[in-house]
Amino acid sequence: SQQGEEDPQALSIQEGENATMNCSYKTSINNLQWYRQNSGRGLVHLILIRSNEREKHSGRLRVTLDTSKKSSSLLITASRAADTASYFCAVMDSNYQLIWGAGTKLIIKP
Amino acid sequence: EAQVTQNPRYLITVTGKKLTVTCSQNMNHEYMSWYRQDPGLGLRQIYYSMNVEVTDKGDVPEGYKVSRKEKRNFPLILESPSPNQTSLYFCASSLSVQFLRGYTFGSGTRLTVV
């Protein structure tokens, strides 16, 4: 069953702006992961945040996790055309199963 | 190069004709999994394997079979494909789920069943 839910479903911004995507979930988790998928291609792992972590950075990516609200956000700073892709959150539950959301489609306009 | 290799990349077949999609990883990963991706539905897990000779059903296993005879290979078998199995399929692997690492995905297999 799908428990990760991304918001918004689609986001279109100008190059150079920041993009924020949110993910909500229902179960208790071991960790939460974010992936990027370019059109029709395989998913690429971006960042993993453990349940006892609140914030994590990787280059232009910043992920926050609020376990009390069962939510996470992915911030991409100074967006580039190459960031155009779909972004998925996936939560790993207590049985080590990864549960996926339906994704946010991000379009960066030049 | 560390990777998950799926073959074929594209496949068009007819209803009822058995097919196999291969998946191989060169990272000595214990965990492997198959997903299907359909528009608006995100990724749905078909089968997964925690290690050699250990396989379990995911969310949508009906109409599929898998095997894990060797650590590196995890083929997906459709014994009698039907049009509702038309989809984009991904194989993924991870060192071990308990090590809490991200998954490495293959490039995908776009299957059309007519």
Side-chain angles (χ1 to χ4, degrees):
Chain A
S1 60
Q2 297 292 322
Q3 289 201 31
E5 294 183 10
E6 288 93 342
D7 168 54
Q9 288 186 319
L11 179 61
S12 180
I13 59 173
Q14 292 293 138
E15 193 168 19
E17 293 180 338
N18 295 341
T20 299
M21 288 159 272
N22 302 298
C23 172
S24 60
Y25 58 90
K26 298 174 184 174
T27 189
S28 58
I29 64 171
N30 273 304
N31 65 67
L32 186 146
Q33 304 177 27
W34 284 92
Y35 289 79
R36 183 187 73 234
Q37 183 183 32
N38 292 94
S39 181
R41 308 290 294 181
L43 283 80
V44 174
H45 179 252
L46 295 176
I47 199 164
L48 180 153
I49 186 165
R50 299 173 197 272
S51 59
N52 60 354
E53 296 175 314
R54 292 297 165 257
E55 188 170 313
K56 205 159 182 182
H57 297 254
S58 177
R60 294 184 295 112
L61 305 181
R62 173 179 167 248
V63 169
T64 61
L65 178 65
D66 187 335
T67 53
S68 67
K69 294 181 179 178
K70 289 184 162 50
S71 68
S72 172
S73 67
L74 169 68
L75 168 68
I76 304 173
T77 59
S79 62
R80 305 167 182 169
D83 295 328
T84 293
S86 291
Y87 291 82
F88 293 88
C89 76
V91 297
M92 181 169 282
D93 66 15
S94 54
N95 295 318
Y96 301 107
Q97 292 307 304
L98 209 53
I99 305 166
W100 297 82
T104 291
K105 189 168 185 176
L106 175 65
I107 296 173
I108 309 298
K109 296 178 286 186
Chain B
E1 181 188 352
Q3 60 185 356
V4 175
T5 303
Q6 284 180 238
N7 281 298
R9 185 83 173 88
Y10 299 93
L11 180 59
I12 300 174
T13 191
V14 296
T15 298
K17 186 177 181 182
K18 181 179 178 180
L19 66 92
T20 299
V21 183
T22 63
C23 174
S24 180
Q25 50 91 6
N26 62 359
M27 297 165 282
N28 202 36
H29 283 175
E30 288 186 352
Y31 182 88
M32 298 185 75
S33 180
W34 276 103
Y35 291 92
R36 61 178 288 173
Q37 185 178 32
D38 302 287
L41 294 179
L43 277 86
R44 294 182 291 168
Q45 190 177 50
I46 302 170
Y47 271 95
Y48 64 96
S49 170
M50 292 284 204
N51 213 325
V52 177
E53 301 291 1
V54 180
T55 62
D56 280 294
K57 295 178 181 179
D59 295 320
V60 288
E62 295 78 20
Y64 304 94
K65 283 176 57 176
V66 293
S67 68
R68 187 94 182 271
K69 294 185 172 62
E70 312 162 276
K71 202 169 191 178
R72 63 185 298 128
N73 295 323
F74 191 44
L76 178 70
I77 302 157
L78 285 72
E79 294 270 2
S80 183
S82 62
N84 64 11
Q85 291 178 297
T86 292
S87 187
L88 181 57
Y89 291 87
F90 290 104
C91 180
S93 72
S94 180
L95 180 62
S96 165
V97 289
Q98 286 87 350
F99 281 103
L100 304 181
R101 303 280 177 84
Y103 288 12
T104 302
F105 277 79
S107 298
T109 296
R110 189 169 291 279
L111 173 65
T112 302
V113 184
V114 297

